[in-house]
Amino acid sequence: MTTTTHVLGYPRIGKQRELKFALEKYWRSEIDQDALQAVGSALRENSWQTQSELSFVAAGDFAWYDHVLTTSLLLGHVPKRHRQGEIDLDTLFRIGRGKSQCSCAGFAASDMTKWFNTNYHYIVPEFSADDEFSLAWPQLFEEVKQALDLGHKVKPVLLGPLSYLYLGKEVEPSFERLSLLPRLLPVYQQILTKLHQLGVTWVQTDEPILALDLDARWLDAFKPAYQAIDCGLKILLTTYFDAIDSVFERIVELNVDGIHIDLSAAEHPLPALVKALPEHWVLSAGVVNGRNVWRANLNEKLAQLGDIKALLGERLWIASSCSLLHSPVDLELERDLTPETRSWFAFAKQKVAEVALLGRALDGDEAAIHACHQYSQPIIERGSAEHVNKPNVQQRVNRISAAMAERSAPYSERAAHQAEVLKLPLLPTTTIGSFPQTGEIRLQRSAYRSGKLSQADYQQAIKGHIQDAVARQEALDLDVLVHGEAERNDMVEYFAEHLAGFQTTQFGWVQSYGSRCVKPAIVVADIEREQPITVEWSRYAQSLTAKKMKGMLTGPVTILCWTFPREDISRQTITEQLALALRDEVADLQQAGIEIIQIDEPAIREGLPLKVSQHQAYLDWAVRAFKIAAGSAAPQTQIHTHMCYSEFNEIIESVAALDADVITIETSRSNMELLQAFEEFNYPNAIGPGVYDIHSPNIPQVEWIEGLVEKAARKIPLQRLWVNPDCGLKTRTWPETEAALTNLVLAAKSLRRKYAQSA
């Protein structure tokens, strides 16, 4: 009874981010399309070679930009503004980037949003009532044929029709995208038929929306949809990121041949699911966590699945929980990790080996069973290690009281204190925190890390950049200044490098979208702050000016969401440890004379669980963590926070519960429409709605900024409004930054005069 083993997908970027660099060379016209295709072909071959010890290799999981966008081209579904002749690779890049590699003009890129609750982004399909679909992009079939020609047994990966529609958006009123399903299904039928003709026996059809709280219309559409695409090919219906037991009775009615469930993201009542499984179906158990870096406890997995294997025999498959797209590629590249730390991790390549080993052990292979026991020991041993589970940190978390999550005075009293101490004008101007990370800064940081620049020389260089940033802001006449964050590589990684309990990597890159990659730190132990992190830089910056200087911190929830968390303690506990560390930093900044402190929480909404029923519990502890971090601030210390694009209607009560003195949000793209949630809720504290989009090189005109502020003033009392960009300026150039901020300050001053005359 050989156990079938597979993964749901593999990273595309390559061990050394080969895809990233090839894409960027192509976009700069430094290589042609043939050279780009050669890189993609080699990456796929390497991926399949890694997976060759499994029963299947995954094909169709490769994407030049994003797999949802690839699906759009496969279905011939291109936004009207990008329809220029036949669909080709350049079409894909125009949709994703808003630019064209050919001589024709580019058009606005399609929207991009987070892939469920991960840090991967996908290009949002755009749907209109007159949309038609056709089999138009051969990439899937070419890749399947490439894998077959290399002698691999192939399982194609295909985003399912319901999830494809659900993940898109309507671009015209009075129309529901679900109505397009009858037009879409014949193309899926063609795709499956063509795959069958190529000799494929199984196809992985991803329907991750089944883990959401779907309304009845969407759930009801599954049964007829899968009845309509029957072509004799066996379908593994694939779900991930959360439990599906609440809809399992609907799933077992579908015309498919098996179900994949994610056993890492949530508990499933396995015995009950197995009992309800149709007799001919396979159950693919996603027991190796595809979206974290921790080595699996294979002893535990064997115990979990032993009885299920006895019941199902060959109908039990073993797999990664989701695509390994969300994992770094290869742990073997990490030469600087200690042997102990290295023994805790498994990146994508190692997770493939875990799946294969577990499959052999479930088949009764004694050598594999012994290997599972040996492999699991480092994870078992770290469970009782005091340098991982620190009594002092745990005791402090256990002593958290309700009073620690409250400021010592209500907002109305704090606002009065702050007005007296800070003496800021009406419509105070500031920025979100970062200033341009110039090539010079990056070279100096690289030289310091490689040992070519001494610590003293590096610190002196950073001081020079801070001096420059402060001088530029004073020349601009901004009201509240920032030090510019020249010393920070990333808003999360910087804090991870300075807090005990984190491990950073050299090559732990994960694709975010297109050529954009991120390198999350890893929470490896209980977190504590052993010494101040930002205080000396902020103190130095404040010494250069008589104006108020903002201290800049990344909030506990954002640090959690943008790192790989531990799996042996809860996300809430990790966040509480972070909150206590940041609470100490706030106290020390305040002691150093910093009277305004910003604690950024751009990720607070994206941390929401997939199930709506679990939202409030998450928001309760997320808000509490922020308030613990800010709770050491005296009434006269002004606490700011910043949030990126969010559907504030869903979380406005929790945003208000943060009780930040000032919240800055991104509103320029929506022409201040996002402020409606704050107006309807009657948000009580101060707000800085972003008055220009920092993601664009366009310089906002004074009149444009004035108009946006006046529009905001119709929703929020003037006395509680700030004027600022909508995000940090790290990615912009200094000429763009100074030109935009000049107009921002001019607009604020003009409005002050206007309102003073009318008072």
Side-chain angles (χ1 to χ4, degrees), residues 229-476:
I229 59 175
D230 182 14
C231 70
L233 192 63
K234 290 185 177 181
I235 293 177
L236 179 69
L237 188 76
T238 311
T239 66
Y240 36 82
F241 298 151
D242 212 326
I244 58 165
D245 49 288
S246 62
V247 294
F248 201 70
E249 61 181 20
R250 297 279 203 120
I251 291 173
V252 295
E253 295 178 345
L254 302 183
N255 182 35
V256 298
D257 301 276
I259 180 72
H260 172 88
I261 57 177
D262 184 340
L263 294 174
S264 295
E267 291 186 6
H268 287 74
L270 269 180
L273 297 188
V274 170
K275 186 177 180 180
L277 201 69
E279 288 185 4
H280 70 285
W281 277 27
V282 302
L283 174 66
S284 172
V287 289
V288 171
N289 192 345
R291 56 182 292 190
N292 211 332
V293 295
W294 292 97
R295 175 180 289 206
N297 183 340
L298 296 182
N299 280 351
E300 186 179 82
K301 309 304 179 188
L302 276 171
Q304 179 185 20
L305 296 174
D307 291 343
I308 305 301
K309 175 66 176 177
L311 288 170
L312 294 179
E314 292 186 355
R315 292 166 57 212
L316 176 65
W317 292 14
I318 301 301
S320 59
S321 62
C322 60
S323 173
L324 300 181
L325 163 71
H326 308 289
S327 293
V329 180
D330 189 1
L331 182 62
E332 293 172 5
L333 299 176
E334 300 296 333
R335 307 296 185 187
D336 295 339
L337 299 177
T338 66
E340 180 190 40
T341 303
R342 185 186 182 87
S343 73
W344 294 339
F345 301 148
F347 291 0
K349 182 178 179 181
Q350 290 72 41
K351 290 178 185 293
V352 169
E354 289 180 344
V355 171
L357 178 59
L358 183 58
R360 295 196 301 272
L362 282 167
D363 288 339
D365 183 322
E366 291 295 335
I369 293 170
H370 178 72
C372 283
H373 291 320
Q374 293 295 109
Y375 185 84
S376 304
Q377 285 310 302
I379 288 295
I380 294 170
E381 290 169 4
R382 76 180 292 277
S384 57
E386 285 204 356
H387 64 291
V388 171
N389 305 285
K390 305 171 187 175
N392 61 311
V393 176
Q394 294 170 5
Q395 289 167 10
R396 193 176 180 201
V397 169
N398 291 336
R399 290 197 299 265
I400 291 175
S401 65
M404 291 175 67
E406 298 297 336
R407 299 286 296 275
S408 58
Y411 171 73
S412 58
E413 293 181 22
R414 300 197 310 265
H417 279 297
Q418 292 160 17
E420 182 179 349
V421 170
L422 301 176
K423 295 181 170 56
L424 296 173
L426 184 71
L427 299 173
T429 56
T430 190
T431 64
I432 302 305
S434 61
F435 276 128
Q437 286 269 318
T438 63
E440 182 184 12
I441 291 173
R442 290 193 292 271
L443 284 173
Q444 288 165 339
R445 184 181 300 121
S446 177
Y448 170 59
R449 292 193 163 184
S450 64
K452 296 177 182 177
L453 191 66
S454 71
Q455 182 174 8
D457 288 342
Y458 176 67
Q459 289 181 337
Q460 194 59 41
I462 295 300
K463 284 185 175 181
H465 294 300
I466 292 173
Q467 281 183 313
D468 179 59
V470 171
R472 290 176 190 259
Q473 291 173 87
E474 287 199 314
L476 290 164

Side-chain angles (χ1 to χ4, degrees), residues 71 75 115 157-167 181 184-185 188 204-209 222 225-226 229 237-238 240:
T71 305
L75 300 169
W115 176 250
V157 177
L158 180 65
L159 182 61
L162 273 303
S163 289
Y164 177 72
L165 286 174
Y166 189 92
L167 294 167
L181 184 61
L184 184 61
L185 292 176
Y188 270 85
Q204 172 188 317
T205 306
D206 288 2
E207 291 286 9
I209 64 169
F222 271 89
Y226 277 83
I229 59 175
L237 188 76
T238 311
Y240 36 82

Side-chain angles (χ1 to χ4, degrees), residues 60 62-83 86-89 91-96 110-111 115 120 122-128 131-141 157-161 163-169 177 180 183-184 187-188 191:
F62 180 84
W64 295 108
Y65 203 87
D66 153 57
H67 62 271
V68 181
L69 177 54
T70 303
T71 305
S72 289
L73 267 65
L74 171 67
L75 300 169
H77 182 227
V78 175
K80 292 181 175 64
R81 63 188 177 281
H82 293 297
R83 295 177 188 173
E86 290 188 10
I87 292 174
D88 59 13
L89 189 59
T91 309
L92 183 146
F93 293 138
R94 285 199 302 273
I95 299 169
S110 290
D111 285 351
W115 176 250
Y120 177 78
Y122 73 92
I123 300 298
V124 180
E126 301 173 15
F127 295 113
S128 303
D131 279 348
E132 299 291 341
F133 303 94
S134 63
L135 192 53
W137 179 243
Q139 180 179 331
L140 172 64
F141 311 111
V157 177
L158 180 65
L159 182 61
S163 289
Y164 177 72
L165 286 174
Y166 189 92
L167 294 167
K169 67 174 186 178
R177 58 193 183 278
L180 296 174
R183 296 181 215 168
L184 184 61
V187 184
Y188 270 85
I191 294 167

